[in-house]
């Protein structure tokens, strides 16, 4: 990763035209990988006063190679673990976006052999469901490779967005941009990607 004083000089942006990238064990598919969600709750002028400030949540659905499935998210305090299955951990629930660094998922790729697939999602928990106003961006920081950016800035009135699909690719890691805006929540995300989990309502 090219950096000077902690500032990244280069990055890879996944787009509709170039939606995927593959990482190898020697370049990004090992060690601890951070997935960061940032957004601007104030963009769009009067839409986002404190009473209606937008609150985005970062999370993921995972499937392990032994068939176990689950979700890592703030809802239901399902923060996961880096040292035991699912080897994915959410660092907390941020309500403000860019002012405090957003939210971070950490994935322990030293256990990539036990991970089959992960769908990273962002969810508008509170506030107006307007992705183009929230100015959201997910940045993936692999070890030994340039950051990978996915922007969530298209117009959509839905609350759920499937951001990226991570798959175990013969010991490497495939990352594919989705930016699939889904009408509904985690249950509908599950149905769209064939996860097959049972869901019940919950609150933070």
């Amino acid at each position: 990763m090219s950096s000077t004083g902690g500032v990244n000089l280069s990055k890879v942006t996944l787009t509709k035209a170039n939606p995927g990238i593959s990482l190898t064990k020697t370049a990004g598919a090992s060690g601890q990988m951070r997935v960061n969600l940032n957004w601007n709750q104030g963009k769009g002028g009067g839409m986002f006063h404190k009473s209606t400030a937008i609150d985005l949540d970062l999370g993921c659905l995972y499937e392990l190679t032994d068939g176990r499935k689950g979700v890592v998210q703030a809802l239901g305090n399902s923060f996961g673990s880096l040292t035991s299955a699912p080897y994915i951990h959410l660092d907390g629930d941020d309500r403000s976006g860019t002012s405090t660094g957003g939210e971070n998922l950490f994935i322990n790729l030293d256990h990539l052999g036990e991970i089959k697939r992960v769908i990273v999602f962002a969810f508008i928990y509170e506030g107006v469901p307007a992705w183009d106003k929230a100015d959201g961006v997910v940045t993936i920081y692999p070890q030994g490779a340039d950051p990978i950016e996915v922007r969530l800035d298209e117009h959509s009135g839905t609350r759920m967005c499937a951001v990226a699909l991570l798959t175990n690719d013969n010991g490497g890691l495939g990352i594919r941009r989705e930016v699939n805006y889904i009408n509904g929540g985690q249950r509908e995300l599950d149905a769209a990607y064939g996860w097959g989990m049972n869901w019940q309502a919950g609150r933070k």
Side-chain angles (χ1 to χ4, degrees):
M1 186 183 298
S2 300
S3 62
T4 302
V7 177
N8 295 310
L9 301 179
S10 61
K11 64 184 177 184
V12 176
T13 300
L14 298 184
T15 64
K16 287 182 179 179
N18 297 288
I21 189 170
S22 295
L23 304 177
T24 65
K25 282 190 175 182
T26 56
S30 62
Q32 186 170 287
M33 184 173 75
R34 179 167 67 99
V35 181
N36 172 262
L37 170 65
N38 260 306
W39 69 97
N40 182 2
Q41 70 168 359
K43 187 176 180 181
M47 286 189 71
F48 298 132
H49 292 301
K50 284 186 178 180
S51 60
T52 57
I54 196 165
D55 174 20
L56 266 62
D57 281 348
L58 178 67
C60 72
L61 302 183
Y62 65 82
E63 181 178 2
L64 304 182
T65 54
D66 64 7
R68 285 181 289 173
K69 302 172 184 178
V71 59
V72 175
Q73 61 179 5
L75 190 67
N77 294 317
S78 301
F79 289 100
S81 172
L82 272 180
T83 56
S84 60
Y87 307 106
I88 303 168
H89 174 66
L90 178 67
D91 68 350
D93 179 25
D94 177 36
R95 298 298 180 99
S96 59
T98 55
S99 65
T100 57
E103 296 189 1
N104 296 280
L105 274 172
F106 294 90
I107 304 176
N108 186 350
L109 294 179
D110 289 336
H111 290 271
L112 178 58
E114 297 171 62
I115 299 172
K116 181 178 179 180
R117 59 176 180 158
V118 176
I119 184 79
V120 175
F121 66 81
F123 183 73
I124 298 177
Y125 184 74
E126 289 182 344
V128 178
W131 293 96
D132 53 332
K133 302 299 183 183
D135 195 27
V137 58
V138 169
T139 308
I140 300 170
Y141 295 93
Q143 289 193 13
D146 290 326
I148 301 161
E149 180 183 89
V150 180
R151 302 204 68 86
L152 313 177
D153 53 7
E154 297 176 21
H155 175 72
S156 174
T158 66
R159 292 190 177 274
M160 172 63 73
C161 180
V163 177
L165 180 65
L166 282 53
T167 55
N168 186 326
D169 185 15
N170 295 319
L173 182 68
I175 301 175
R176 189 181 75 198
R177 174 191 183 272
E178 295 291 321
V179 191
N180 180 12
Y181 298 99
I182 295 170
N183 187 20
Q186 287 82 339
R187 185 192 304 271
E188 288 73 24
L189 172 69
D190 178 313
Y193 287 89
W195 236 261
M197 293 168 56
N198 296 317
W199 294 91
Q200 59 184 16
R203 293 190 63 83
K204 293 195 287 186

